């Protein structure tokens, strides 16, 4: 529809901008601006058409992309009359930019740099023109960083200031810095009070030093008069520029209004240069007095300056030193400097608009057009013809335009003076000619019935209200629910049916006056509302009670995570170990400087945070330390010796050297080896269980293998891990010895028949033995217990389906045992008098299958594939294997769908309907199936459907249909 509007408008402008998306792919937005003349009232519109992936960001590459997309959309490049880009060199470049390349093909596609970007660049020029301005914004940013660095600092700010929160700077949108300045401009006294509080009471030395500097410093804080004065100046400048920027961002912004806004901004700067200093000074003195700051400019040592000798001036006066007072120095070298820079930047960056005023200016204001002399008007029309000419063709004829404007000057009604009103004159004359009111004009005349009018009125000019209520033979769907045969309004319809029962009574009771609570809780058999929605009269809530064959299997991956959680929580040493690993990550990720030091010294796998739920993924956190421990310790030592942050130095030294809370002790290194091996094995099993085609027999085999690993690791893992830990400790220059810690003596329990005098003997363990028993053995035993407990359900399935898992074992099974297994499976799959299989038939089929199955097929998946081709021969076997393969092992597929959910329903699309969410999710998750669909047939089928053709021909419905409607509508 947008393309039709653009083609109807004929002339259009292209607006381009690009930015990287979340995947670091450059996306260019294409927006078309045109005058929409397809509607009754012409309107300036900006239509977004598409995002374009940018691979070549040069002017040539961007222009080639633009040409291709315009050709694909069927838009002629010769109809472009305007270009709007940012101020990047690849866009606005005079020699190789996009605008230059387009002008070479179509000279009438005039380029206009983005007004908002130009304002941002002008503000950037102003701020960079003065060192004092740079320092001012640095102080404002430091205030934000201080109060946002911790929740404690933030709470102090809220408690003392209790107003607008401090905000960070935008590096690109300069005019938005008004929000950062505003928080300080109107709360400076309270903010200084909060800084004093932090300087006196904070526990962090860095915070105390920073707060005191910001509150008291004469050069780098808010405790000096120059900062307060600059705050007033910058707030007023940013406030005005921000207002103009917001106006320029509107979609229907005209070039005449934009020029007027820029002129007004330049006028403000000129006026502010003359009068702004004294006004700002008075306001700054008031705030400084409130902040208990001396409202005086500080005296700073300045290098003497000499005036330049002018022609005819006496040479002896040139060498005189120009001595400025502190106030005069601030006015000249700061205030005047930034205001003058603003004027220069605005005039330079908006000179293109001034050029357009010379070309189109005579069309901007109709009052001036009325007063224009004919000779000047004719020259302006001729100049516009030349401007819009390409080759031998021009968009307009200057002479004809001159005559039309002369005619228009006499016939234009009073009150229309601006370009937008003149553009709408066609509509005005349509309504004025027959003196039809604007209301009637939009409704339509007698001979021109638009589709809009059709829904407003038909041949007899029935109002839209009557139209939807219905005529004699056409009952709309709205009317259907508004009234039945006797034209009862929707209010009456819901209030009562045939006997005019009020809606309250209706929902309170039906024929037998059942209360609404009872009505929704149950129908004839008084089923509760929970049961009502889950089942009908004879269906009970519990799934197992409804269908005992729907066997429950806890997710294998979740069970592994819970088993690891049990292991880690079983030992205090393990808890401390993971705490140290997390502290290492927090230290190196706390600042870019710390991160750069890590990259420079370690230059390998980056440290990673823990997942609070996916325990097996902690292998990635341990791996970064397991294979880089010596280099990580070297990086910690470097931070401890060279960091400027006392907190960082203390934390780094503690992690590098501490015998209990760092990586500088042998127990940590030993635990690192143990946990890496345990997590590595569990992570591998978890990944296998997450596959969609995972079979229950393979899952049981994997869990058995994991249990076997834990048992073997319990016997042999300690010595193997010890040797590896000693090697790494030597490399890290750590003594490979267990530290001696004071322990509370323990006594053994007296066993039956043991001599009592030996029971009281104190059991003294060596540090190594203590570590082995109270840490290594403890966590491995806990792992064995958790695995056997959390996977007992799978063991139960093995007893039921185990004889079907491996065909080799099935071949060797005795007939008696096989018959018993088949009978047990029949009972397991039985509900009431019906079972999915017949045990006796299954036994006979398996005996037959043992002799007829080809060599090489041993696993369940292969047998199922073989049975599919011979389903009629082995019906019970086919059913048994399908049920066995149907039982899920994990819910990984459901969790993977959440990734698509986050991508599809983001905060920008939070109001998406459930139906649309489900449709998009289905297309994304089941994309393999969606790719096989024939989109052409689907679109043709959808286009052939027309919901408006549906006409309800019945005047009333039965009570049961009405009841269903109520339930679906209100429940």
């Amino acid at each position: 529809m947008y393309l039709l509007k653009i083609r109807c408008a004929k002339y259009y402008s292209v607006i381009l901008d690009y930015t990287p998306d979340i995947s670091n792919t450059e996306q260019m937005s294409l927006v078309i601006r045109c005058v929409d003349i397809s509607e009754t009232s012409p309107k300036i519109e900006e239509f977004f058409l598409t995002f374009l992936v940018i691979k070549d960001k040069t002017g040539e590459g961007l222009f080639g992309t633009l040409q291709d997309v315009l050709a694909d959309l069927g838009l002629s490049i010769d109809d472009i009359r305007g270009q709007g880009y940012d101020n990047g060199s690849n866009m606005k470049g005079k020699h190789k930019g996009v605008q230059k390349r387009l002008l070479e093909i179509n000279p009438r596609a005039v380029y206009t740099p983005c007004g908002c970007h130009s304002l941002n660049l002008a503000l950037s020029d102003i701020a960079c023109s003065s060192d004092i301005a740079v320092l001012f914004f640095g102080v404002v940013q430091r205030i934000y960083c201080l109060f946002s660095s911790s929740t404690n600092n933030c709470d102090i700010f809220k408690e003392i200031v209790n107003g607008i929160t401090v905000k960070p700077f935008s590096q690109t949108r300069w005019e938005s810095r008004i929000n950062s300045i505003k928080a300080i401009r109107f709360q400076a006294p309270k903010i200084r009070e909060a800084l004093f509080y932090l300087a006196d009471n904070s526990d962090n030395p860095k915070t105390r030093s920073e707060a005191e500097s910001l509150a008291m410093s004469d050069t780098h804080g808010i405790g000096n008069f120059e900062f307060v004065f600059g705050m007033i100046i910058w707030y007023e400048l940013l406030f005005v520029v921000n207002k103009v920027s917001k106006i320029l961002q509107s979609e229907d912004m005209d070039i005449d209004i934009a020029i007027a806004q820029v002129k007004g901004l330049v006028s403000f700067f000129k006026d502010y240069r003359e009068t702004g200093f004294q006004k700002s000074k008075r306001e700054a003195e008031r705030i400084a007095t409130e902040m208990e700051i001396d409202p005086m400019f500080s005296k700073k040592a300045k290098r003497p300056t000499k005036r330049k000798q002018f022609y005819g001036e006496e040479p002896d006066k040139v060498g005189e030193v120009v001595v400025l007072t502190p106030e005069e120095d601030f006015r000249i070298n700061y205030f005047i400097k930034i205001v003058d820079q603003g004027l220069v930047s605005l005039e330079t960056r908006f000179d293109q608009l001034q050029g357009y005023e010379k070309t189109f200016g005579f069309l901007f204001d109709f009052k001036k057009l009325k007063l224009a002399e004919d000779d000047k008007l004719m020259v302006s029309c001729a100049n516009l013809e030349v401007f819009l000419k390409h080759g031998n063709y021009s968009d307009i004829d200057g002479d004809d335009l001159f005559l039309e404007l002369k005619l228009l000057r006499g016939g234009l009604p009073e009150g229309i003076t601006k370009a937008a009103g003149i553009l709408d004159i066609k509509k005005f004359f349509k309504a004025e000619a027959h003196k039809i009111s604007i209301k009637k004009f939009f409704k339509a005349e007698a001979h021109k019935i638009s589709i809009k009018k059709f829904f407003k009125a038909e041949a007899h000019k029935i109002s839209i209200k009557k139209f939807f209520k219905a005529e004699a033979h056409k009952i709309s769907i709205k009317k259907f629910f508004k009234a039945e045969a006797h034209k009862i309004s929707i209010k009456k319809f819901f209030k009562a049916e045939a006997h005019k029962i009020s809606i309250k009574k209706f929902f309170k009771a039906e024929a037998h006056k059942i209360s609404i609570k009872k009505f929704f809780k149950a129908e004839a058999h008084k089923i509760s509302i929970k049961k009502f929605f889950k089942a009908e009269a004879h269906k009970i809530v519990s799934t197992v009670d409804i269908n005992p064959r729907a066997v429950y299997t806890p997710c294998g991956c979740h069970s592994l995570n819970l088993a690891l959680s049990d292991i880690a929580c079983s030992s205090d040493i393990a808890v401390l170990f993971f705490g140290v690993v997390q502290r290492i990550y927090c230290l190196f990720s706390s600042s870019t400087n710390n991160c750069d030091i890590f990259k420079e010294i370690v230059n390998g796998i980056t440290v990673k945070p823990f997942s609070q739920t996916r325990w097996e993924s902690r292998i990635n956190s341990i791996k970064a330390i397991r294979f880089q421990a010596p280099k990580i310790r070297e990086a910690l030592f470097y931070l401890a010796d060279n960091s400027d942050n006392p907190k960082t130095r203390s934390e780094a030294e503690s992690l590098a050297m501490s015998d209990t809370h760092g990586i500088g002790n042998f127990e940590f290194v030993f635990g690192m080896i143990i946990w890496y091996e345990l997590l590595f094995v569990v992570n591998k099993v978890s990944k296998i269980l997450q596959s969609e085609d995972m079979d229950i027999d393979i899952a049981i085999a994997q869990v058995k293998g994991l249990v076997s690993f834990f048992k073997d690791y319990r016997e042999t893992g300690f010595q193997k891990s010890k040797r590896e830990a000693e090697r790494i400790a030597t490399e890290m220059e750590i003594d490979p010895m267990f530290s001696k810690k004071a322990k509370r003596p323990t006594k053994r329990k007296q066993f039956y028949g043991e001599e009592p005098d030996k029971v009281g003997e104190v059991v003294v363990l060596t540090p190594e033995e203590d570590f082995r028993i109270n840490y290594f053995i403890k966590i491995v035993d806990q792992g064995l217990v958790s695995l056997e407990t959390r996977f007992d359900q799978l063991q139960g399935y093995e007893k039921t389906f185990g004889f079907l898992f491996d065909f080799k074992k099935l071949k060797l099974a005795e007939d008696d045992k096989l018959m018993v297994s088949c009978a047990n499976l029949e009972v397991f799959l039985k509900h009431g008098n019906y079972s999915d299989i017949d045990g006796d038939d299954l036994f006979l089929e398996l005996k037959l299958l043992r002799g007829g199955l080809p060599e090489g097929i041993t696993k369940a998946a292969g047998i199922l594939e073989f049975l599919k081709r011979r389903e009629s021969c082995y019906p019970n076997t086919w059913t048994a294997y399908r049920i066995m393969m149907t039982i899920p092992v994990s819910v990984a597929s459901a969790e993977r769908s959440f990734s698509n959910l986050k991508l599809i329903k983001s905060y920008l699309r939070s109001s998406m309907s459930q139906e649309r969410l489900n449709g998009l999710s289905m297309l994304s998750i089941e994309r393999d199936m969606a790719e096989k669909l024939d989109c052409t047939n689907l679109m043709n089928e959808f286009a052939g459907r027309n919901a408006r053709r549906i006409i309800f021909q019945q005047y009333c419905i039965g009570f049961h249909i009405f009841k269903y409607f109520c339930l679906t509508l209100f429940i």
Side-chain angles (χ1 to χ4, degrees), residues 798-859:
E798 186 178 22
K799 295 177 182 178
T800 305
F801 294 97
F803 69 102
L804 299 175
F805 287 169
D806 194 335
F807 198 71
K808 289 182 179 179
K809 295 180 180 179
L810 185 61
K811 280 185 176 182
L812 301 174
E814 298 176 3
D815 288 351
D816 294 339
K817 292 183 178 179
L818 181 59
M819 183 175 289
V820 171
S821 298
C822 293
N824 292 337
L825 184 59
E826 179 184 2
V827 174
F828 182 80
L829 297 177
K830 192 172 185 179
H831 182 209
N833 297 323
Y834 175 77
S835 178
D836 292 323
I837 64 167
D838 183 281
D840 295 333
D841 291 346
L842 176 63
F843 169 69
L844 296 174
E845 290 175 12
L846 289 177
K847 285 188 68 177
L848 180 62
L849 186 65
R850 287 193 296 190
L853 195 68
E855 294 292 331
I857 299 178
T858 59
K859 297 299 181 182

Side-chain angles (χ1 to χ4, degrees), residues 168-305:
F169 284 156
S170 169
Q171 297 299 321
T172 53
R173 295 183 62 246
W174 269 82
E175 85 280 355
S176 70
R177 295 196 177 192
I178 180 67
N179 298 319
S180 304
I181 309 297
K182 183 179 181 179
I184 305 174
R185 162 69 177 83
F186 295 102
Q187 301 172 147
K190 290 186 177 181
I191 288 177
R192 195 176 188 223
E193 182 182 344
L195 290 171
F196 277 128
Y197 183 89
L198 282 176
D200 295 337
N201 300 282
S202 176
D203 297 329
N204 189 334
K206 177 178 178 292
T207 301
R208 296 183 67 169
S209 174
E210 184 77 2
E212 186 169 351
S213 172
L214 286 169
M216 298 294 293
S217 176
D218 291 336
T219 54
H220 298 90
I222 67 173
N224 67 89
F225 185 62
E226 285 85 348
F227 176 87
V228 178
F229 204 154
M231 177 181 69
I232 303 299
I233 295 170
W234 274 106
Y235 179 77
E236 295 189 4
L237 294 181
L238 287 171
F239 181 84
V240 176
V241 173
N242 185 58
K243 287 293 183 184
V244 174
S245 179
K246 290 288 187 292
I247 294 172
L248 295 183
Q249 290 175 32
S250 60
E251 288 188 5
D252 57 350
M253 175 54 52
D254 306 333
I255 194 171
D256 56 331
I257 299 176
I259 292 174
Q261 289 294 325
V262 174
K263 284 184 175 180
L265 188 59
V266 171
S267 176
F268 169 81
F269 268 74
K270 289 179 179 178
D271 181 66
Y272 194 68
R273 188 183 190 276
E274 302 300 325
T275 62
F277 186 82
Q278 292 300 326
K279 291 180 181 178
S280 300
K281 182 183 175 183
R282 288 192 292 271
E283 182 63 16
E285 287 173 345
R286 183 189 65 78
I287 295 175
T289 304
E290 191 177 347
M291 294 173 66
E292 299 179 358
I293 296 173
D294 188 13
M296 298 291 292
F297 293 92
S298 58
K299 297 180 180 180
K300 303 180 181 68
K302 291 286 186 180
R303 184 178 62 181
T305 58

Side-chain angles (χ1 to χ4, degrees), residues 54 181 185 288 335 371 386 415 469 653 656 754 761 808 924 930 960 967:
I54 301 300
I181 309 297
R185 162 69 177 83
F335 177 79
L371 300 175
V386 173
K469 280 187 174 179
E653 187 170 350
E754 191 176 15
E761 293 179 358
K808 289 182 179 179
S924 176
H960 63 284
L967 290 174

Side-chain angles (χ1 to χ4, degrees), residues 373-402:
E373 298 176 3
D374 288 351
D375 294 340
K376 292 183 178 180
L377 182 59
M378 184 176 290
V379 170
S380 298
C381 293
N383 291 338
L384 184 58
E385 178 185 2
V386 173
F387 183 80
L388 297 176
K389 192 172 185 179
H390 181 207
N392 296 322
Y393 175 76
S394 179
D395 292 323
I396 64 167
D397 183 282
D399 296 333
D400 290 348
L401 176 63
F402 169 70

